[in-house]
Amino acid sequence: MGCVGFDLDMTLIDPRPGMVAAMGQLAGETGYPLDGEYFAANLGPPLDHVLREFGTPEERIPELVARFRAIYPEVVVPSTVALPGATAALEAVHRLGGTTLVVTGKYEPNAALHVKALEFGVDSLVGDLWAAGKASALLEHGAIAYVGDYTGDMVGAKAAGALAVGVVTGPCSRQQLLDAGADVVFDSLAEFPDWLTATADGAREPGR
């Protein structure tokens, strides 16, 4: 077993209540129509992409991104919970002698706060990468598989030559993940340990 990569938002964690609150606070401070509910229901794209979608003036985006990141630790991290099967999935990789890697589009220092708060067994963390851009980290760490909830996660996995493992705990449907290149799709990470064990056992069979 080698390295297995995981996305963070809506794959390992559910930060949606805090995301709604943080975006609402940012909207209140700036007066811009920032829809926190929509944002939280469609986690995946980087924050600057989302702000553009909301019609935020381009010259204000760096300022708003910085402010959101500053709000984040006190508003989002405390209300975030681990998704079902997240801890067991990470433990399954370690149990089989592998290493775990989180690759996320989230600002890396804030992503690290989640890993610490939830006591996840993560060996390496890389932030600020999205979609095909995630391939660089997956290749660097020699990831054999990447698990995510977003179509861009499947694109990143395939770009790195890794198994693309989808979970439908985020905004994308099973069919959307399959269409984006998923090799296997689960309802949640609760299904992941058994699949990983069976996959590893198959790889150990003579002639495999």
Side-chain angles (χ1 to χ4, degrees):
M1 178 60 60
C3 175
V4 177
F6 294 85
D7 177 46
L8 190 60
D9 285 352
M10 300 313 300
T11 298
L12 291 172
I13 65 172
D14 184 353
R16 289 175 296 181
M19 291 293 208
V20 173
M23 190 62 78
Q25 182 173 330
L26 192 63
E29 292 177 0
T30 63
Y32 290 126
L34 308 176
D35 188 339
E37 294 286 351
Y38 175 84
F39 172 53
N42 295 277
L43 295 175
L47 181 59
D48 60 333
H49 291 217
V50 176
L51 292 172
R52 289 187 183 95
E53 187 175 351
F54 289 153
T56 308
E58 188 68 28
E59 66 274 12
R60 294 292 306 279
I61 287 178
E63 171 193 343
L64 267 63
V65 168
R67 179 58 184 148
F68 184 89
R69 289 174 173 176
I71 292 169
Y72 195 100
E74 292 187 1
V75 175
V76 183
V77 174
S79 62
T80 296
V81 299
L83 282 168
T87 297
L90 296 168
E91 290 175 346
V93 177
H94 288 146
R95 188 167 58 250
L96 291 168
T99 59
T100 55
L101 164 70
V102 167
V103 185
T104 174
K106 191 183 298 298
Y107 179 51
E108 189 171 311
N110 286 340
L113 293 176
H114 285 300
V115 171
K116 180 179 180 180
L118 295 170
E119 299 182 338
F120 283 154
V122 172
D123 297 303
S124 302
L125 168 67
V126 181
D128 304 292
L129 294 177
W130 182 57
K134 293 187 174 186
S136 61
L138 297 174
L139 287 166
E140 179 182 351
H141 289 267
I144 61 171
Y146 184 62
V147 187
D149 67 287
Y150 199 74
T151 52
D153 298 327
M154 304 302 100
V155 172
K158 303 311 284 188
L163 279 171
V165 181
V167 285
V168 294
T169 44
C172 297
S173 69
R174 181 179 300 271
Q175 191 59 53
Q176 286 174 318
L177 293 170
L178 289 169
D179 289 345
D183 295 295
V184 60
V185 180
F186 300 126
D187 289 334
S188 79
L189 283 178
E191 300 174 54
F192 179 82
D194 285 346
W195 171 83
L196 186 69
T197 299
T199 301
D201 287 344
R204 296 188 189 105
E205 292 176 5
R208 294 292 292 274

